[in-house]
């Protein structure tokens, strides 16, 4: 049984998710939630969802997920399945509906789940503000432009502006390790 699970779960895939990206996504989601008046309990649910939003990647074949270069349509479709697979994993693991829906909707601009909308915004904002091997970090304003064109709701944009606009220190987790989240 254990071997069967090992065969299906591409646990190594989760190594490609960086500590910094996860930690900032969690921190930005929490900051937005605080601005919007979420309770401690709601914030906690959202943090758990933010931490686990990409868990479905563990069911995507590594050779597709980590393929260098462009994915074809079929490969893109398979990678996109990580959202709904994450939903299934989290639901069957006994997480609440919001945590599961955050995973399901974290790439869906039309989600009706406000927590998923927030984590989606935090995920994009984090990716924009982060320096990666192939790109420089964007400024707050540049990142906001990307969020606007990604149809992030206005009240989430306002919350991010209030929290991170016109400030010099914008990295909520300065000093965090840049190692992979799961070693
Ligand atoms: Fe994702
Ligand atoms: Fe992400």
């Amino acid at each position: 049984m254990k071997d069967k699970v090992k065969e299906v779960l591409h646990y190594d895939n989760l190594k490609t998710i960086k500590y910094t990206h996860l930690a900032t996504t969690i921190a930005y989601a929490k900051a937005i939630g605080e601005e919007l008046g979420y309770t401690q309990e709601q914030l906690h649910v959202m943090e758990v969802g933010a931490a686990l939003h990409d868990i479905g990647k563990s069911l995507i074949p590594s050779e597709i997920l980590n393929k260098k270069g462009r994915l074809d349509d079929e490969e893109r479709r398979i990678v996109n399945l990580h959202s709904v697979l994450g939903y299934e994993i989290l639901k069957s693991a006994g997480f609440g509906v919001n945590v599961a829906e955050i995973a399901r909707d974290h790439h869906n601009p039309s989600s009706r789940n406000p927590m998923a909308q927030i984590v989606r915004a935090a995920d994009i904002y984090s990716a924009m503000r982060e320096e990666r091997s192939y790109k420089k970090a964007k400024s707050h304003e540049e990142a906001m432009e990307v969020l606007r064109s990604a149809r992030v709701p206005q009240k989430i944009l306002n919350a991010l502006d209030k929290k991170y606009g016109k400030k010099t220190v914008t990295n909520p987790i300065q000093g965090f390790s840049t190692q992979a989240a799961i070693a």
Side-chain angles (χ1 to χ4, degrees):
M1 179 62 193
K2 217 173 158 203
D3 285 350
K4 191 79 209 146
V5 172
K6 267 194 180 161
E7 224 174 84
V8 182
L9 277 180
H10 303 272
Y11 176 74
D12 275 0
N13 289 355
L14 301 180
K15 287 184 185 173
T16 62
I17 305 170
K18 302 283 180 210
Y19 268 137
T20 44
H21 174 60
L22 273 187
T24 55
T25 300
I26 296 166
Y28 292 134
K30 192 176 174 208
I32 297 166
E34 279 169 354
E35 279 301 317
L36 298 182
Y38 276 42
T39 64
Q40 284 305 317
E41 203 180 321
Q42 289 171 319
L43 291 172
H44 178 69
V45 168
M46 208 161 55
E47 283 182 88
V48 174
L52 298 172
H53 71 275
D54 266 337
I55 191 91
K57 284 187 174 173
S58 60
L59 289 174
I60 305 297
S62 320
E63 57 278 18
I64 298 179
L65 191 69
N66 302 316
K67 185 184 165 187
K68 302 260 180 287
R70 260 184 93 80
L71 300 179
D72 65 29
D73 288 352
E74 181 64 4
E75 289 164 337
R76 174 57 49 203
R77 199 183 61 76
I78 293 169
V79 169
N80 290 345
L81 287 174
H82 78 275
S83 306
V84 72
L85 291 170
Y87 173 80
E88 295 298 340
I89 292 171
L90 294 170
K91 261 191 65 175
S92 53
F95 286 93
V97 67
N98 279 313
V99 172
E101 286 191 4
I102 286 170
R104 187 191 65 193
D105 290 355
H106 75 275
H107 290 297
N108 174 12
S110 313
S111 175
R112 290 168 192 243
N113 184 314
M115 289 191 187
Q117 289 274 14
I118 291 174
V119 171
R120 175 172 176 267
D123 188 27
I124 303 171
Y125 189 77
S126 158
M128 293 302 116
R129 299 305 313 270
E130 212 172 58
E131 188 172 293
R132 304 240 167 127
S133 55
Y134 52 89
K135 68 157 184 77
K136 279 186 156 169
K138 286 193 192 301
S139 70
H140 171 76
E141 279 310 325
E142 291 167 332
M144 293 299 282
E145 209 39 60
V146 175
L147 265 70
R148 264 189 285 278
S149 48
R151 293 166 44 206
V152 168
Q154 190 59 44
K155 65 176 184 179
I156 295 180
L157 297 176
N158 293 347
L160 276 168
D161 246 344
K162 205 163 159 205
K163 207 83 182 179
Y164 303 109
K166 301 188 193 71
K167 273 192 188 171
T168 42
V169 179
T170 52
N171 183 352
I173 54 146
Q174 246 159 19
F176 248 72
S177 159
T178 52
Q179 287 168 272
I182 295 166

